[in-house]
Amino acid sequence: MTSPTSSSSISAADVIKVARLARLDIDDAQVEHFTEQLAKVLEHFTDVDALDLSDVQPMTQAYPLANVLRQDVEQPCLDRDEVLAAAPQAQDGRFRVPTINGEA
Amino acid sequence: MASLPTTAADIAAAVSSGTVTASEVLEKHLAAIAARETDVHAFNLITADAARQHAARIDADVADGKPVGALAGVPLALKDNMCTRGIETTCSSRILEGWKPPYDATVVQRLRDAGAIMVGKTNLDEFAMGSSTENSAFGPTKNPLDLSRVPGGSSGGSAAAVAAGFSAVSLGSDTGGSIRQPAALCGVVGVKPTYGLVSRYGLVAFASSLDQIGPFATTVHDAALVTEVIAGHDLMDSTSIPQPAPNLRSAVGQGVARMRIGRVTDLPGGAEPEVMKRLDDAFEALAAAGAEIVDVTLPSIEYALTAYYLIAPAEASSNLARYDGVRYGLRAPASEVNAMYGATRAAGFGDEVKRRIMLGTYALSAGYFDAYYGKALKVRRLIADDFDRAYTQVDAIITPTSPMVAFAFGDKVEDPMAMYLCDVYTIPSNLAGHPAMSVPFGTGAHKLPVGIQIMAPALGEVPMFRVAGALESAARGLK
Amino acid sequence: MSDMLLHNGWELVVGLEVHVELATKTKLFSGSPNRFGDEPNTNIDPVTLGLPGALPVLNQHAVELAMRIGIALNCTVQPSTFHRKNYFYPDMPKAYQISQYDQPLNVDGFLMLPGEVRIGVERAHLEEDTGKSTHIGGATGRIHGSEYSLIDFNRAGVPLVEIVSRPDIRTSEQARQYVTELRAILLAVGASDAKMEEGSMRVDANVSVRKPGDELGTRCEIKNVNSVRAVGRAIDYEARRQIDMLENGDRVRQETRHWDDGEGRTHTLRVKEDADDYRYFLEPDLVPLAPSAEWVQSIKDNMPPLPAARRARLSAITGASQESEAVIVIVERGQDDYIHAVVAAGGDASKALVFVQQAFADETAQPRVPAKDIATLTVMERDGKITSTQSKTLLAEIVANGGGDAVALAAAKGFEALDNSAAEKMVDDVIAAQPEAWAKYCAGEEKAMGALVGAIMKLSQGKADGKVVTAIFNARRNA
Ligand SMILES: [Mg+2]
Ligand SMILES: [Zn+2]
């Protein structure tokens, strides 16, 4: 199996799909703008494709710790009124949002 | 007024002993803010009233003979991406404008307990994404040394506040150089501790595996003092190293005799010649102080920038997904929830933040993960391995902090890659999780300050501060 | 539909995903209470709400309960990690769920069903629950047609274990047995209260059909299956729907379907799309969870006995089958220890089983009646000191009073069973008094026995033992 390379450049269709995934409305001019700029950044990644990384373990922690745990002890809660006062819209002690049509 | 102490250590000593009051010290700094803040724009918010009340409390405690902390009466500026209970915390973003956190960051708690007095929340590149503070939704901060130039970023406001005398010390956060680079450009000391040395609880996340909080100060000793106050284990942060804060102040005066200092022979090029000249001066000074200069290679750091600009945006795309208009912050009107998300985030985020969210989402998405994010993590390992090898030969490594001195507004903001190159020397330490700091070391082009970066292995803060102290001493004799 | 093969030779293939809320005091990653039924948005903290700067810290007790589940399901407990599953939904505060992905805590177990049927358990992993949305407006209270939704985050962050079976289930009856047995295990190990009606145990069924020997068919995931009964009904309905489609030459579409218990049918919730791109990556705010061998062993050493072992023990002592309703029910209620206590107090085991099953049906805990009081009553009935009718009366009174001496109570009520010679005399009297009924009975009309026994009960004022009397009538007839 060959490892995927980053040589194929990002397309406008990719940008539209990514904007949808990221819930970021962008207009046609921005699609073009982002396609161009992201391609420029990703272009640099082709250097990395030259490296043989097959035996390299990905580094996923900046400092090696494991099994960090807390006791199952109750801590004070936030004040509901204070929290809801900061919400864009609240009702009946809850956060209100517009109707949910698209499913998660 | 002229007799008032200026460093944090001197202020705390004088306030604790009652020779000066916290209120006097505070008024001097508020006066400096009143005189120049309109030009500099270091702050998103100035908390003068609360600061005056806090100073009065400390003065009362001193008068009553009650114990006060290690930073008693020290005016402090806080980057506006650290949560302060009941005090607006914006990350210089429209999406969080007006948000008052219902809790304090761990560092805020520790600084308050030590008696530091917060004078305000400082400006930054939106969500700490940038190297010039031009990406703030609330307008750029200017370099106090030359108002036509940037202070660096993303912690530009915190660097400028200390450089302008608005506060004795400040805190910034450093994901790819965001403390060290503005420290260099503003001519102050800036420290990025070992990943996990300072709690991130209450620091608004940019890239979780890279973010670290650290201080700005006018002296290496002050930087050591503030680091000691904020460092040490915190149960609220799973990545916090379970160790007490190290004793750093005692390291500052120890000198560098018999220390081995690394010179990177394959350092990425592109730095201004005046900057490279100062690096030579630094090696000369350290050698003169008794250090041994040893050549080391870090062959993989030429890929550091590329790896960083995938890893950081990938984490950021996830960290910034919570700004959805449901629980806090901005909401754009819409009749359906997904439309609300899209409109809210389009209206609330600036261009650079959007660019990184897009890049990070792309790098993590199905079909691209292995080609981009997965590979970037492997490159990260190569870089850490390079450092591990080098640190078998040396105790610390020095490089320039920034390839260039403070640049003019607008110079790089239209070209993301040019801006990203500002961080070429600072990013490797973030990827490795290692401590690094910048110490002012003479001037370069336009008589603007140059910073020398000192890097050390994980938890190598003590040797790092020894080198910093030696460079600080040597800098006084520079022409 | 309990045959292995459905009509026309279709085979049903089912895998179950069961989410259970763990019985911890606090959330999986923060200290706000894990409590059902509180006022909305009162059990919230910065982590639960996904506030900027908040960081998760793993709950040790949740890990231990998850290990208990894994061990009870014969899984291997292994080093594990947490990932972020990124998606936007209003009840998902951070816009990502922290869940175990490619390295779950428990893998490769199994669960035994009656008749030595072994159902594989692929994994049992830790993850956090979401908040709760209520859809307001519109006719149905469902999402579609609603005007807006209200979100309560009390449930957000509650620890869940997701138990994923292998597709080894072949009948809806097996699915019901699997859920019932799993629930019994969860209760036995104290991991969850496993209340399907309150949502602390939630079942999703992956259903497909195929011809035996064929590859797996396209599956549909059925959600909202809220009772053991619904598990069977939903699977039966869905299997029929898929078979009908395939026999009509249609294809089954991979989708998520919703079980409507009122209508008794499933309907499309959403079709699987490419848009389901969760961009999983390792959660940088957490560190690996790698339980040591000693830790796992200490959990194993402290495991309570599991339902299967408890049923075997109860069966051995009472003589009732392990699969009898009484044994299953008593173990499910956790009252088997009580029966062992009654027996230890000298009671009759098989009568104790019946008494406890009848008298303590409303409880799911140890009865609060002293075991010796029940023991005395069982012995009195077994030895014929009182009739079964009388013992029922006494049992009800003892339970109502929280205890009581059956001997004294029986004496006070004048209860006594007739001895055999008295019973035989009465039988002869009744035969003499009711020759017609006796003749019918002798001619083989078993119904006539009712009149004869009724007459005895009237004569003895209920003191006669029905079984004994019946035996005497039989003996007379056969003589
Ligand atoms: Mg699932
Ligand atoms: Zn799940």
Side-chain angles (χ1 to χ4, degrees):
Chain A
M1 222 171 71
T2 57
S3 90
T5 66
S6 46
S7 50
S8 54
S9 186
I10 188 166
S11 68
D14 291 331
V15 166
I16 290 166
K17 183 192 146 199
V18 165
R20 158 74 191 157
L21 272 177
R23 300 295 190 275
L24 213 47
D25 288 353
I26 54 176
D27 59 28
D28 293 350
Q30 283 172 308
V31 170
E32 198 181 321
H33 178 70
F34 279 128
T35 308
E36 207 174 288
Q37 289 195 324
L38 297 191
K40 253 188 212 165
V41 177
L42 291 168
E43 204 180 272
H44 289 259
F45 215 73
T46 50
D47 300 354
V48 171
D49 287 337
L51 292 172
D52 177 12
L53 297 169
S54 46
D55 293 331
V56 181
Q57 281 302 307
M59 178 170 167
T60 53
Q61 275 186 289
Y63 190 90
L65 295 174
N67 298 325
V68 175
L69 299 158
R70 45 172 272 275
Q71 296 303 303
D72 186 23
V73 175
E74 241 182 85
Q75 301 296 330
C77 289
L78 292 172
D79 179 67
R80 178 169 80 177
D81 294 338
E82 183 183 352
V83 167
L84 289 179
Q89 207 179 3
Q91 181 181 318
D92 304 334
R94 288 172 289 178
F95 296 83
R96 180 171 164 166
V97 295
T99 182
I100 305 164
N101 283 335
E103 262 291 332
Chain B
M1 284 287 210
S3 63
L4 286 177
T6 55
T7 69
D10 289 349
I11 291 168
V15 168
S16 304
S17 66
T19 51
V20 300
T21 64
S23 301
E24 288 174 89
V25 173
L26 174 65
E27 290 307 329
K28 187 187 91 172
H29 288 86
L30 291 178
I33 292 171
R36 289 196 73 201
E37 167 61 5
T38 317
D39 291 337
V40 176
H41 186 220
F43 291 100
N44 287 339
L45 179 73
I46 296 163
T47 53
D49 290 345
R52 286 191 172 105
Q53 288 169 22
H54 190 185
R57 277 204 308 280
I58 287 178
D59 290 334
D61 284 350
V62 172
D64 293 348
K66 288 188 192 150
V68 288
L71 293 174
V74 174
L76 163 93
L78 207 63
K79 189 176 182 179
D80 199 18
N81 62 350
M82 299 177 208
C83 288
T84 43
R85 170 144 203 197
I87 298 167
E88 209 172 308
T89 300
T90 69
C91 293
S92 291
S93 180
R94 295 277 174 221
I95 213 156
L96 270 182
E97 194 171 6
W99 181 60
K100 292 177 178 168
Y103 77 108
D104 276 324
T106 297
V107 290
V108 170
Q109 189 67 52
R110 289 185 181 182
L111 287 165
R112 187 185 302 115
D113 290 349
I117 293 170
M118 186 180 82
V119 297
K121 306 285 295 276
T122 62
N123 197 13
L124 62 148
D125 286 298
E126 185 178 1
F127 284 103
M129 296 177 185
S131 306
S132 66
T133 318
E134 289 166 287
N135 294 332
S136 167
F138 309 130
T141 296
K142 291 169 188 155
N143 193 317
L145 306 176
D146 179 345
L147 296 175
S148 70
R149 293 174 185 274
V150 303
S154 65
S155 313
S158 286
V162 170
F166 297 165
S167 66
V169 293
S170 63
L171 286 196
S173 64
D174 188 314
T175 305
S178 281
I179 293 173
R180 291 159 286 161
Q181 184 255 13
L185 270 50
C186 290
V188 297
V189 178
V191 181
K192 182 204 94 75
T194 301
Y195 183 85
L197 190 74
V198 177
S199 170
R200 294 183 293 117
Y201 188 72
L203 169 69
V204 181
F206 160 17
S208 309
S209 78
L210 301 162
D211 297 341
Q212 260 296 285
I213 292 173
F216 291 93
T218 56
T219 68
V220 172
H221 185 272
D222 275 1
L225 169 60
V226 177
T227 306
E228 287 177 20
V229 169
I230 59 174
H233 188 223
D234 179 20
L235 291 167
M236 302 300 284
D237 177 356
S238 303
T239 62
S240 169
I241 299 170
Q243 282 186 21
N247 185 339
L248 301 175
R249 277 172 290 173
S250 63
V252 177
Q254 272 175 20
V256 290
R258 286 177 303 280
M259 279 187 78
R260 299 164 304 164
I261 310 294
R263 182 206 309 265
V264 184
T265 55
D266 47 2
L267 192 70
E272 292 169 355
E274 297 90 339
V275 168
M276 291 311 288
K277 165 74 171 62
R278 288 306 181 193
L279 181 63
D280 291 341
D281 291 346
F283 278 116
E284 212 170 281
L286 292 173
E292 183 194 349
I293 311 303
V294 178
D295 284 350
V296 294
T297 62
L298 298 171
S300 298
I301 63 167
E302 66 167 297
Y303 304 106
L305 206 64
T306 306
Y308 174 86
Y309 277 100
L310 276 169
I311 294 170
E315 292 183 12
S317 71
S318 175
N319 283 330
L320 272 62
R322 69 188 60 195
Y323 305 104
D324 59 6
V326 174
R327 286 144 295 129
Y328 44 77
L330 185 75
R331 172 187 294 187
S335 58
E336 191 276 328
V337 83
N338 282 293
M340 185 271 278
Y341 291 151
T344 297
R345 292 162 61 76
F349 290 135
D351 224 37
E352 180 63 23
V353 172
K354 286 179 186 168
R355 185 154 45 234
R356 297 204 199 188
I357 289 174
M358 297 282 292
L359 184 57
T361 304
Y362 180 70
L364 289 176
S365 65
Y368 298 102
F369 184 97
D370 291 336
Y372 290 115
Y373 187 68
K375 272 190 191 165
L377 294 182
K378 291 183 170 191
V379 172
R380 187 174 184 181
R381 169 78 61 196
L382 292 181
I383 290 161
D385 288 349
D386 277 2
F387 276 115
D388 287 348
R389 266 191 301 276
Y391 287 127
T392 62
Q393 299 167 262
V394 297
D395 305 304
I397 294 169
I398 66 170
T399 70
T401 304
S402 160
M404 69 287 281
V405 294
F407 47 92
F409 285 99
D411 256 16
K412 301 177 193 297
V413 82
E414 282 310 311
D415 180 356
M417 277 321 292
M419 188 69 88
Y420 296 172
L421 277 168
C422 293
D423 302 325
V424 64
Y425 301 131
T426 49
I427 279 171
S429 301
N430 296 87
L431 289 172
H434 294 167
M437 64 189 285
S438 181
V439 176
F441 200 73
T443 54
H446 314 289
K447 300 248 174 322
L448 288 163
V450 170
I452 295 297
Q453 175 179 235
I454 308 148
M455 303 188 284
L459 296 177
E461 272 80 2
V462 167
M464 180 175 81
F465 271 94
R466 283 179 67 185
V467 177
L471 286 178
E472 182 178 50
S473 304
R476 291 188 200 111
L478 285 175
K479 291 177 286 280
Chain C
M1 214 181 289
S2 55
D3 294 327
M4 293 303 278
L5 291 183
L6 307 173
H7 81 106
N8 282 353
W10 291 96
E11 182 185 42
L12 175 64
V13 178
V14 176
L16 295 176
E17 287 177 23
V18 180
H19 285 84
V20 291
E21 291 183 351
L22 298 180
T24 54
K25 290 195 186 70
T26 66
K27 306 274 175 84
L28 184 54
F29 297 116
S30 66
S32 60
N34 166 15
R35 206 157 46 217
F36 181 80
D38 285 0
E39 277 288 295
N41 291 307
T42 52
N43 298 335
I44 52 169
D45 58 52
V47 177
T48 296
L49 280 181
L51 294 188
L55 295 172
V57 187
L58 184 58
N59 182 337
Q60 177 169 340
H61 190 49
V63 174
E64 291 181 341
L65 292 181
M67 285 199 273
R68 273 197 226 169
I69 292 174
I71 292 164
L73 296 174
N74 309 290
C75 292
T76 304
V77 181
Q78 62 165 20
S80 64
T81 54
F82 291 90
H83 274 67
R84 292 186 184 178
K85 178 183 183 179
N86 294 284
Y87 67 92
F88 286 85
Y89 202 81
D91 63 19
M92 174 60 72
K94 304 179 295 302
Y96 55 82
Q97 180 195 30
I98 304 177
S99 177
Q100 297 196 304
Y101 181 52
D102 55 0
Q103 292 175 285
L105 182 62
N106 304 296
V107 293
D108 267 342
F110 62 89
L111 187 149
M112 295 305 294
L113 302 184
E116 298 296 292
V117 176
R118 179 184 161 126
I119 306 298
V121 171
E122 188 179 308
R123 55 191 285 152
H125 69 256
L126 273 163
E127 62 185 26
E128 55 180 342
D129 210 342
T130 62
K132 247 185 131 101
S133 315
T134 310
H135 310 295
I136 310 288
T140 57
R142 288 203 202 124
I143 282 186
H144 296 287
S146 68
E147 287 158 32
Y148 59 91
S149 298
L150 298 177
I151 322 286
D152 168 17
F153 289 104
N154 281 352
R155 197 182 66 178
V158 162
L160 294 177
V161 166
E162 180 179 339
I163 301 152
V164 182
S165 88
R166 295 196 187 280
D168 292 347
I169 295 166
R170 290 291 172 272
T171 68
S172 59
E173 174 60 17
Q174 284 179 358
R176 275 201 302 268
Q177 288 171 343
Y178 176 92
V179 173
T180 305
E181 184 64 5
L182 181 57
R183 191 167 170 273
I185 290 171
L186 294 168
L187 291 172
V189 302
S192 174
D193 62 10
K195 290 181 181 163
M196 290 187 78
E197 66 283 7
E198 284 182 9
S200 62
M201 177 169 178
R202 308 196 281 269
V203 179
D204 301 334
N206 287 305
V207 178
S208 63
V209 296
R210 66 172 172 190
K211 296 283 180 165
D214 281 3
E215 305 218 324
L216 288 177
T218 304
R219 66 188 165 92
C220 290
E221 185 176 5
I222 317 298
K223 299 230 174 234
N224 192 43
V225 191
N226 291 333
S227 67
V228 174
R229 187 166 163 269
V231 170
R233 292 179 68 211
I235 290 170
D236 283 340
Y237 174 87
E238 180 60 19
R240 170 66 53 202
R241 188 188 72 86
Q242 291 184 16
I243 290 168
D244 287 349
M245 286 186 77
L246 293 168
E247 294 198 331
N248 283 334
D250 294 333
R251 280 180 43 229
V252 174
R253 194 167 54 155
Q254 186 173 346
E255 59 189 10
T256 303
R257 299 180 67 85
H258 182 270
W259 169 248
D260 187 319
D261 208 51
E263 290 177 33
R265 59 180 295 257
T266 63
H267 56 81
T268 301
L269 198 59
R270 62 197 149 98
V271 179
K272 288 266 175 204
E273 285 176 57
D274 296 335
D276 285 343
D277 184 344
Y278 294 121
R279 289 154 287 136
Y280 281 101
F281 73 107
L282 241 124
E283 164 59 286
D285 289 328
L286 290 169
V287 302
L289 170 64
S292 66
E294 298 77 56
W295 191 13
V296 176
Q297 192 57 48
S298 79
I299 301 291
K300 277 186 183 160
D301 292 345
N302 291 299
M303 285 286 282
L306 295 178
R310 286 163 51 190
R311 286 193 299 263
R313 192 164 159 241
L314 192 58
S315 162
I317 193 172
T318 60
S321 149
Q322 288 185 43
E323 285 161 27
S324 68
E325 199 200 327
V327 168
I328 290 171
V329 161
I330 290 295
V331 168
E332 199 178 301
R333 287 191 213 146
Q335 294 167 343
D336 44 330
D337 282 350
Y338 185 73
I339 290 174
H340 292 296
V342 170
V343 173
D348 178 89
S350 80
K351 292 216 183 300
L353 183 67
V354 176
F355 283 18
V356 172
Q357 189 193 355
Q358 287 169 353
F360 303 107
D362 296 338
E363 298 177 38
T364 54
Q366 299 298 318
R368 282 178 299 277
V369 175
K372 69 164 174 32
D373 292 347
I374 302 295
T376 307
L377 188 65
T378 61
V379 170
M380 285 178 73
E381 187 187 318
R382 182 195 62 197
D383 294 351
K385 299 271 169 37
I386 50 173
T387 68
S388 60
T389 314
Q390 291 168 341
S391 100
K392 261 189 199 137
T393 307
L394 295 184
L395 181 61
E397 189 160 332
I398 290 171
V399 170
N401 296 335
D405 178 23
V407 175
L409 285 170
K413 288 193 185 303
F415 284 178
E416 55 184 296
L418 292 178
D419 65 24
N420 273 9
S421 61
E424 285 183 21
K425 169 140 194 335
M426 276 192 200
V427 166
D428 292 335
D429 290 350
V430 167
I431 290 174
Q434 301 207 31
E436 279 175 36
W438 176 245
K440 278 186 188 163
Y441 178 64
C442 289
E445 269 189 54
E446 299 291 329
K447 279 188 296 187
M449 177 63 100
L452 295 170
V453 174
I456 298 269
M457 287 302 168
K458 205 170 176 185
L459 208 59
S460 70
Q461 294 170 318
K463 289 178 192 171
D465 188 321
K467 274 187 209 154
V468 171
V469 171
T470 307
I472 297 169
F473 275 119
N474 271 325
R476 291 280 187 279
R477 179 175 64 176
N478 298 341

